[in-house]
Amino acid sequence: LFGRIEYARQQFESGDAHFAEGLAIMESLHLEEELADNALYYAQQLEARGKEREALIYFRRAFQSSQSRYVGA
């Protein structure tokens, strides 16, 4: 949530830190659906800022998380 707020305020450096922390927490708690949704959102934000390489990491993370949701079910 804080990452989204910081991005809305165009505070990208702080937003990046909040996204990284939030995604790590979701991963440690095995919140696969939330992780997939938020990694996808973050990837889209990075892509919109011209950071395609970084975005690809989070697109992949979103995909992997969404896949593990179905494999683990």
Side-chain angles (χ1 to χ4, degrees), residues 34-66:
E34 291 84 358
L35 178 59
D37 292 344
N38 284 282
L40 177 60
Y41 177 83
Y42 185 42
Q44 292 167 333
Q45 297 305 304
L46 290 168
E47 186 177 47
R49 291 180 48 221
K51 297 189 168 211
E52 288 86 5
R53 268 185 206 223
E54 237 179 295
L56 185 58
I57 294 166
Y58 292 96
F59 279 124
R60 173 181 271 157
R61 197 166 177 187
F63 176 76
Q64 289 171 337
S65 185
S66 68

